[in-house]
Amino acid sequence: MNIANWLHDTQRRAPRRPALFDGTELVADYATFAAHVRQRAAHLVDQHGLVPGDVVALLMKNSCDYLELLYAIWWMGAVAVPINAKLHPGEAAWIADNAEARLIFTDGGQVFSSRDLPQCCKELDGHLLPANRGWPTLEHPVPRQDQDLAWLFYTSGTTGRSKGVMLSHGNLVAMSLCYATDVDAVSADDAAVYAAPMSHGAGLYNFIHVRCGARHVVPASHGFDAAELFGLAEQVGNVSLFAAPTMVKRMVEQARRQDYHGAGIKTIVYGGGPMYLADLRDAVDTFGPRLVQIYGQGESPMTISVLPRALIAERERPDWASLAASVGHAQSCVEIRILDTGHQPLPTGERGEIAVRGATVMQGYWRNPQATRQTLVDGWLLTGDIGYLDAAGYLTLTDRSKDVIISGGSNVYPREVEEVLAQHPEVFEVCVVGEPDAQWGESVVAFVVTRNGQPLDEGELTAWFLTRMASFKKPKKYVWRSDLPKNSYGKILKTDLRQWLKAASIAAL
Ligand code: AMP
């Protein structure tokens, strides 16, 4: 099924329901939304000669036009490549080239010089509706099979060169149905607010909201500003949003400043990176039962496990700390296994690589059979994440396999060390990486941002650490920072920190 059928159905059933909002301003009801999509789709076919299966890229900030373009692309059977708007034009051009995009929509249509883009790729302004109002429209979505490609999702590249994850219409339908079943029930009164980039998780959550005839709200800033978001939530009401843990942390800080407790927010879905227990406690204290955690990756978008709202909010449960530190249980359409290095399943409680099988798992990497073979093994997606399952099926993530630090022959999982340091009252943010060490193989280095911006006494901090964790896991070095490098999805860039360490050690020679 073509996922654009969901828009087609909703606009038939509820044409006058409000659909697209720019800030608090209503831009289109579902009939207008679909009319624009039909017109834009016909334009792609008639004016640009696109055929089903062609690839169209988007390098744009969040906007209502973004959603219209995505649906126009699917409506006429093409494949969308949403590119992170904060990428350098050179990186975006690399993706457009790799994806063999025929068109790339940008804000204003003048991001690239003709030399930047591959010859067969044309840049267009994504905010211009087809000029000819009398342009024929494409009445119905072009039929598509479940396995046909819909979204080429370029991985955020925190672990190397970005790869194009092939997501089919069937993958996106399964992901959306899991959302409604496992993450949050959606109704027509809800409003999906796009505070995080639409090229990633926030955008992937549009489908179920289209299906249910809910509102889609793009903040006037086109991005994330916690104070703006709270004001918007209070005006719009019933708001759901996806936020990286670092965004939730900023929301908590801002909420404290203005004594805000979540009015107008229905659900904050967080994921995409670790949320430390200390931060989750603060978030629950601030926002109450509004938080749901998901664990997923581009290769099984937003859908591996879920930690439900009721469980996160139930602070008085004796096992709260261990459950809240987990990423929850498998979502409805996937199975989870823990594998050893020979890809054999491990018993409950043992750590190994997390593998996933089910309807959301990608079709493979675009034009990269070798990476596909390494990642899809015997029908299982090897996530590259390390974790373990408990007897009740709760999954705890310890790290990405390549982030594990091997110090003196023992494995140190940076996540555990970060989790402890994040509990220190003076620590605002922390990130732990390994550094080559002549004596230990690797040693633990902690990058720390303190609340008052001043370094802590390292001896005291280590003594405090040792009351909570084994000595071989203690940081051998602290680097005091005013902030940590993050990508535009809010993920801390460990690679940058490792590179910084390398440069610093070369400079010290
Ligand atoms: P991406 O494909 O860019 O969305 O990155 C996915 C990766 O982010 C996963 O493989 C995990 O390493 C990490 N991740 C996603 N969700 C969570 C979560 N809830 N907790 C911790 N790490 C997460």
Side-chain angles (χ1 to χ4, degrees), residues 468-487:
R468 289 162 174 82
M469 199 159 242
S471 179
F472 75 91
K473 297 182 184 175
K474 70 173 187 287
K476 298 268 187 311
K477 188 196 280 181
Y478 291 97
V479 182
W480 307 99
R481 300 280 291 241
S482 56
D483 57 12
L484 295 176
K486 301 189 184 95
N487 71 11

Side-chain angles (χ1 to χ4, degrees), residues 55 79-83 98-100 149-154 164-167 364-366:
V55 175
V79 182
V81 189
I83 302 176
N98 185 264
E100 297 161 30
L149 293 191
W151 185 312
L152 265 180
F153 178 101
Y154 276 78
V165 172
M166 297 193 288
L167 300 176
Y365 292 112
W366 175 257

Side-chain angles (χ1 to χ4, degrees), residues 98-99 149 151-157 159 161-167 171 297-300 353 361-377 380-384 400:
N98 185 264
L149 293 191
W151 185 312
L152 265 180
F153 178 101
Y154 276 78
T155 53
S156 46
T159 57
R161 189 116 227 187
S162 189
K163 294 193 283 284
V165 172
M166 297 193 288
L167 300 176
N171 290 146
Q297 58 176 203
E299 291 81 348
S300 181
E353 182 165 7
V361 170
M362 66 165 179
Q363 312 297 302
Y365 292 112
W366 175 257
R367 306 279 195 258
N368 196 340
Q370 194 193 354
T372 303
R373 270 195 307 277
Q374 284 166 354
T375 309
L376 294 178
V377 176
W380 290 84
L381 164 70
L382 306 182
T383 61
R400 290 196 66 82

